[in-house]
Amino acid sequence: MTTPLRPLPRLIFASRWLQLPLYIGLILAQGVYVWQFWTELVHLIEAAFGNQHALEILVKSIGYKGEALVSLNETVLMLVVLGLIDVVMISNLLIMVIVGGYETFVSRMDLEGHPDQPEWLSHVNASVLKVKLGTAIIGISSIHLLKTFINAANYDEKVLMFQTVIHLAFLLSAIAIAYTDRLLAPAHGDKH
């Protein structure tokens, strides 16, 4: 039987629930990403069937500045699809933060045995969450960098250089976090 907490420790421990509105806010942000995804997808489908207005919206949204387009070309299609992939990857990142953060810092969700429990959630902790977030950010940065390189003619050389340097900084940071986690894992008896 556990002994009841004293008032101050009880208050400090209960303060973890202050994070709940933050996670609810991220869920709302996820809803905005879903709306953005479907809006872009509808414009893409309309442009594929020759809708000039939808094509103009797509061209403007991706920042494409080539010759005037009368139909969807491969470059615009690729940039829009990469944008959709980017939205999905950011959405996946949001899910990791919402579910993993809530489970780690607020309260257990008691999903053991649930058929839809994410595989990674069974062994999530703050350290694992940092590594997963780092790799997700690298993936998102990679997609963004690829979009920039495909549309490189519309960017200044400095922008291309700085985006590459920033991507490398993300990569090195994630490697450092993963390496540090690996070094500390034996000290904590933690097996990932």
Side-chain angles (χ1 to χ4, degrees):
M1 185 166 160
T2 59
T3 59
L5 291 174
R6 294 184 322 267
L8 183 58
R10 186 182 314 131
L11 175 66
I12 292 170
F13 186 61
S15 71
R16 72 192 191 282
W17 288 100
L18 290 173
Q19 289 189 10
L20 184 61
L22 304 177
Y23 293 120
I24 291 171
L26 288 177
I27 292 168
L28 294 173
Q30 175 113 3
V32 172
Y33 265 106
V34 169
W35 178 260
Q36 174 70 26
F37 179 92
W38 283 104
T39 301
E40 289 287 315
L41 184 62
V42 166
H43 287 145
L44 179 61
I45 293 168
E46 290 172 343
F49 283 103
N51 184 317
Q52 195 64 35
H53 179 67
L55 181 60
E56 290 168 10
I57 292 171
L58 287 176
V59 166
K60 185 177 178 185
S61 74
I62 60 173
Y64 182 78
K65 295 181 182 113
E67 66 284 347
L69 298 177
V70 291
S71 64
L72 191 63
N73 68 20
E74 183 181 2
T75 303
V76 172
L77 175 62
M78 191 180 322
L79 289 170
V80 172
V81 170
L82 286 172
L84 293 174
I85 292 169
D86 201 24
V87 169
V88 170
M89 292 181 77
I90 291 171
S91 184
N92 290 342
L93 178 64
L94 280 168
I95 287 295
M96 277 194 283
V97 170
I98 294 166
V99 175
Y102 182 87
E103 175 87 9
T104 302
F105 301 111
V106 179
S107 182
R108 296 281 174 224
M109 298 172 79
D110 296 324
L111 294 175
E112 290 80 23
H114 192 282
D116 294 329
Q117 177 190 2
E119 173 271 325
W120 55 269
L121 192 58
S122 63
H123 57 272
V124 73
N125 59 36
S127 185
V128 171
L129 198 55
K130 281 190 287 189
V131 173
K132 289 200 172 297
L133 292 176
T135 55
I137 289 169
I138 290 169
I140 292 165
S141 177
S142 297
I143 295 295
H144 190 75
L145 193 59
L146 181 58
K147 283 171 53 180
T148 302
F149 285 156
I150 290 170
N151 201 14
N154 296 314
Y155 290 97
D156 184 28
E157 267 185 46
K158 286 183 180 179
V159 171
L160 295 171
M161 182 184 70
F162 281 120
Q163 283 191 5
T164 303
V165 168
I166 290 168
H167 177 73
L168 289 173
F170 285 152
L171 184 60
L172 291 173
S173 295
I175 290 169
I177 289 169
Y179 182 70
T180 303
D181 181 53
R182 187 174 179 100
L183 287 176
L184 294 177
H188 295 299
D190 201 12
K191 293 184 174 74
H192 306 305

